[in-house]
Amino acid sequence: MSLVVYNTLSREKEPFVPIDAGHVRLYVCGPTVYDYVHIGNARPVVAFDVLYRLLKRRYPRVTYVRNITDIDDRIMVRAADNRETIDALTTRTASAYQSDMRRLGALTPDFEPRATQYVGEMVEMIGRLVDKGHAYAAEGHVLFSVPSMADYGRLSRRTRDELVAGARVEVAPYKKDPADFVLWKPSTAEQPGWPSPWGRGRPGWHIECSAMSARHLGETFDIHAGGLDLIFPHHENEIAQSRCAFGHGLMAKYWMHNGFLNISGEKMSKSLGNFFTVHELLDQYPGEVIRLLLLSAHYRQPLDFTHEGLVQAKATLDRWYGILRGRDAAPAEPVPQTVEEALSDDLNTPLAISAVHQLGDPAALRAGANALGLLQQDAEAWFRWTPAGAAGPTDAEIEAAIAARQAARKARDFKESDRIRDDLKAKGVILEDGPKGTTWKRG
């Protein structure tokens, strides 16, 4: 079963043919860790986690890299506002990000490099660009010379005027061309900085991904992925840096981009009061609920993230876990063909979810959902999940009430039995009587 992906570089679906069939290499742009990440940041993680899972089923070795940007002007501002060190801020927020992504069911990347650990590689790469005439030093800065690359703009397909306008470039007297972008910039004594041939300073944003991908995946690799908003200028500039530094015709063979996420039909914005972090949403819903909603639209299409969508996703997972309830976890099975075919067509997760709905056999259901990173836990644990800070009886209190109800039923005191059931229901606990006894779930 062949895998087909949409390549932003060609604007077409293409058969996926790895550079080396024995080792597939994938890079996904990660977050800038100055705060808890918003729900939009989770979309590429979840979408390309499904891709990572699929590639691991198809190829003997897959290396997945997802970076963390831990040096950025926003980080410096936030650290100052918080009156904490940059290292303390980024360590705390990066740890929260990693924990939140695990709770969304995302597999841990093979490498998760932090930018500050690779400044040496960035300095070396900038030096290459200077030596080859693709970059120049000016007033403590080093800038990439956009006119030095004949086909700059191929990924975004923008005209020169659009490139200059879209980049929102800083007008600076030391630039040779308005489109040139910063590779290195000077740091004041109060700002973090590293030594370099051009003076103490820090790297620009774009160079970090070029340096880290080259370090872990090589000068050319198979797939580079990220959000649609990164096509220009970030990914365009990555391509320019990597191709010009290493002299290859490509940086990554396939470029994959996920669409935007809206909240109830509107762009997410703090000013509109519809800005949600993954961290706070995970206090309100199980991670798999959020994950299922993120996968409910095709990754390249816009996604409307709503409360109603979360409620529907919870109901779907309740039904699926209900089928698994009381059954021993079956040995791993191959992914059902209908699910695998859907995912092989450019990660068509809505079609894959539809296929999972048709799987009545518990083992097949689990195998199909597992391909999407769903149904990863024990069914009983699923039904006992409760929102953070929610009032209600403890598991032990519920079990004691069920035992009291069973005793009442045995004594034919059905009035008391019904009272216990109704009391639990009022507290958000639903009892279900079956051939094997009474089970419960939090409503």
Side-chain angles (χ1 to χ4, degrees), residues 13-229:
K13 281 187 179 181
E14 299 177 9
F16 176 68
V17 180
I19 296 170
D20 175 2
H23 183 196
V24 174
R25 292 160 291 161
L26 165 68
Y27 188 95
V28 177
C29 283
T32 300
V33 287
Y34 63 96
D35 203 343
Y36 292 124
V37 298
H38 60 72
I39 187 61
N41 295 133
R43 193 178 190 193
V45 174
V46 170
F48 300 120
D49 177 73
V50 174
L51 175 63
Y52 181 41
R53 292 169 184 270
L54 187 153
L55 293 171
K56 284 168 70 72
R57 291 194 297 275
R58 301 288 184 87
Y59 297 95
R61 182 185 175 195
V62 180
T63 298
Y64 172 27
V65 179
R66 188 179 70 221
N67 74 295
I68 288 177
T69 297
D70 60 350
I71 178 62
D72 180 89
D73 288 355
R74 288 171 294 178
I75 292 173
M76 292 188 290
V77 171
R78 183 60 57 86
D81 289 345
N82 293 353
R83 297 184 179 179
E84 63 182 325
T85 66
I86 287 174
D87 185 62
L89 171 64
T90 58
T91 297
R92 173 170 54 80
T93 51
S95 177
Y97 166 75
Q98 292 163 334
S99 173
D100 290 346
M101 295 307 104
R102 286 193 297 270
R103 292 173 66 187
L104 292 181
L107 298 175
T108 302
D110 299 287
F111 297 97
E112 198 165 22
R114 292 174 59 141
T116 53
Q117 299 169 342
Y118 293 81
V119 175
E121 283 87 344
M122 297 179 211
V123 169
E124 191 276 334
M125 192 171 190
I126 294 169
R128 281 188 179 219
L129 291 167
V130 171
D131 292 343
K132 292 187 173 187
H134 291 291
Y136 58 93
E139 298 184 21
H141 295 75
V142 182
L143 297 105
F144 183 89
S145 174
V146 168
S148 74
M149 184 179 182
D151 58 347
Y152 180 87
R154 180 182 167 200
L155 180 69
S156 59
R157 299 192 177 185
R158 299 188 180 204
T159 66
R160 174 170 171 78
D161 288 344
E162 289 171 334
L163 289 169
V164 173
R168 292 180 229 158
V169 293
E170 177 190 359
V171 177
Y174 49 78
K175 283 189 175 184
K176 294 181 179 179
D177 187 278
D180 294 349
F181 59 88
V182 172
L183 301 172
W184 188 262
K185 53 189 172 183
S187 294
T188 65
E190 296 77 25
Q191 294 174 326
W194 289 261
S196 83
W198 316 284
R200 181 178 178 275
R202 60 194 191 277
W205 175 35
H206 312 300
I207 193 67
E208 68 178 64
C209 287
S210 286
M212 290 188 288
S213 63
R215 171 66 176 80
H216 290 290
L217 300 177
E219 296 176 2
T220 61
F221 54 94
D222 297 293
I223 301 173
H224 194 313
L228 196 65
D229 57 314

Side-chain angles (χ1 to χ4, degrees), residues 22-23 78 89 117 202 237 266 328 365 375 415 421:
H23 183 196
R78 183 60 57 86
L89 171 64
Q117 299 169 342
R202 60 194 191 277
N237 291 349
E266 294 185 301
D328 294 331
L365 173 65
L375 301 187
K415 183 177 180 180
R421 180 199 62 204

Side-chain angles (χ1 to χ4, degrees), residues 261-392:
L261 182 146
N262 295 318
I263 303 294
S264 299
E266 294 185 301
K267 184 177 180 180
M268 185 166 49
S269 167
K270 288 183 178 179
S271 63
L272 294 174
N274 65 355
F275 186 94
F276 300 105
T277 69
V278 177
H279 200 74
E280 63 185 327
L281 286 169
L282 284 167
D283 283 341
Q284 303 170 43
Y285 298 95
E288 287 192 13
V289 168
I290 300 169
R291 184 183 181 96
L292 179 56
L293 180 53
L294 289 171
L295 295 175
S296 64
H298 191 280
Y299 80 94
R300 288 193 288 113
Q301 300 303 314
L303 170 66
D304 198 23
F305 196 88
T306 66
H307 171 72
E308 293 75 18
L310 289 165
V311 170
Q312 180 57 52
K314 175 68 162 58
T316 294
L317 288 161
D318 282 349
R319 186 174 74 80
W320 289 353
Y321 271 113
I323 295 172
L324 301 182
R325 199 169 195 179
R327 301 175 183 270
D328 294 331
E333 283 199 357
V335 175
Q337 184 174 351
T338 52
V339 176
E340 192 76 354
E341 285 179 347
L343 296 180
S344 296
D345 182 12
D346 193 33
L347 300 184
N348 192 335
T349 55
L351 184 59
I353 292 168
S354 177
V356 172
H357 275 295
Q358 307 304 315
L359 301 171
D361 175 72
L365 173 65
R366 187 181 287 277
N370 283 180
L372 294 163
L374 300 168
L375 301 187
Q376 297 287 301
Q377 58 185 289
D378 175 74
E380 291 305 319
W382 170 263
F383 287 114
R384 296 183 183 196
W385 184 89
T386 185

